[in-house]
Amino acid sequence: AQSVAQPEDQVNVAEGNPLTVKCTYSVSGNPYLFWYVQYPNRGLQFLLKYITGDNLVKGSYGFEAEFNKSQTSFHLKKPSALVSDSALYFCAVREPNSGNTPLVFGKGTRLSVIA
Amino acid sequence: DVKVTQSSRYLVKRTGEKVFLECVQDMDHENMFWYRQDPGLGLRLIYFSYDVKMKEKGDIPEGYSVSREKKERFSLILESASTNQTSMYLCASSPQGRGVVEQFFGPGTRLTVL
């Protein structure tokens, strides 16, 4: 069965510095990978996804993620963090060729950007 | 834009009550999902549905049931609410047969069972 791990419960970064939120996955074959963000008292908002092709995926709000097959990772990145990026971030995976089966989510990483 | 709405943002119920959480989507999506979100546990899948009157158990279906009588509406039912069902409940939907697409989430219902 597929799974994702987000090894950090909390990430703190200074405003203007680059940020990375880590995600590793476990699936058989090439995965479909997703990142979502959740602001306080809100539902999840889609940021970006990797299906195939270019390993660097660009998404909303200046975020990007890099797919690394050898390390089974899909880390979320942003070159310059904003205070407004402070939120809860979730990585999710779906097995390939599985239609639109439910996503499997990680436990989330809370990002705090300090002014 | 896809819109997924949930009937209540906040709900307080008593132990033993029957609770209905409603979810409606307006984009004609075939797939609908119910998750619960708890700190340190992330999102866990309760039930999902690929079509009207169809339902599939997720990872934690115990204590819950669902109903999908119309394509746009997916209801989560707590037959007899218990305090360990205090949680944030998130509904999501996605289309079928349009490639690999993301799920679209509603704003969530924060349920407290006293």
Side-chain angles (χ1 to χ4, degrees):
Chain A
Q2 66 269 35
S3 65
V4 292
Q6 294 181 242
E8 301 156 317
D9 292 335
Q10 173 96 30
V11 170
N12 298 320
V13 64
E15 188 176 28
N17 282 3
L19 69 87
T20 299
V21 182
K22 296 180 181 177
C23 172
T24 58
Y25 65 88
S26 174
V27 298
S28 52
N30 293 319
Y32 301 140
L33 294 158
F34 303 76
W35 274 103
Y36 283 81
V37 61
Q38 185 181 37
Y39 297 103
N41 298 314
R42 304 284 293 276
L44 273 66
Q45 295 180 31
F46 169 74
L47 280 178
L48 50 80
K49 65 185 174 187
Y50 171 81
I51 301 172
T52 187
D54 196 349
N55 289 343
L56 186 65
V57 179
K58 293 190 183 295
S60 306
Y61 312 122
F63 284 93
E64 58 190 26
E66 186 169 11
F67 173 66
N68 187 318
K69 188 173 182 179
S70 63
Q71 297 185 3
T72 63
S73 68
F74 188 56
H75 300 333
L76 182 70
K77 300 181 180 185
K78 188 173 183 182
S80 179
L82 300 172
V83 172
S84 57
D85 293 329
S86 298
L88 191 55
Y89 289 82
F90 289 96
C91 182
V93 67
R94 180 188 289 141
E95 280 190 348
N97 303 315
S98 60
N100 278 306
T101 53
L103 296 178
V104 174
F105 286 84
K107 295 183 178 182
T109 298
R110 187 165 299 282
L111 173 68
S112 283
V113 181
I114 303 155
Chain B
D1 281 351
V2 175
K3 192 162 186 185
V4 181
T5 57
Q6 295 183 230
S7 51
S8 305
R9 294 298 303 274
Y10 301 93
L11 209 52
V12 179
K13 296 292 182 180
R14 296 207 173 273
T15 302
E17 280 192 80
K18 189 169 186 176
V19 182
F20 292 86
L21 302 182
E22 305 286 345
C23 175
V24 177
Q25 50 92 7
D26 67 357
M27 283 301 289
D28 202 36
H29 286 174
E30 291 80 7
N31 307 323
M32 296 188 76
F33 312 87
W34 275 107
Y35 293 87
R36 65 176 281 177
Q37 180 183 3
D38 300 287
L41 298 177
L43 274 72
R44 293 180 292 167
L45 182 67
I46 306 172
Y47 268 97
F48 60 103
S49 169
Y50 290 135
D51 202 350
V52 175
K53 297 193 184 296
M54 293 183 66
K55 61 184 179 183
E56 299 278 347
K57 291 181 180 179
D59 299 318
I60 52 163
E62 296 80 17
Y64 303 95
S65 63
V66 290
S67 172
R68 189 146 182 223
E69 296 296 318
K70 293 185 177 182
K71 191 176 185 179
E72 67 270 19
R73 186 180 299 269
F74 193 34
S75 303
L76 180 69
I77 304 156
L78 287 66
E79 296 290 342
S80 178
S82 63
T83 55
N84 63 12
Q85 292 178 309
T86 292
S87 187
M88 170 73 99
Y89 289 88
L90 294 166
C91 176
S93 72
S94 69
Q96 193 83 279
R98 301 182 209 172
V100 180
V101 293
E102 61 273 21
Q103 294 175 2
F104 298 84
F105 281 82
T109 294
R110 188 169 293 281
L111 173 67
T112 302
V113 183
L114 301 175

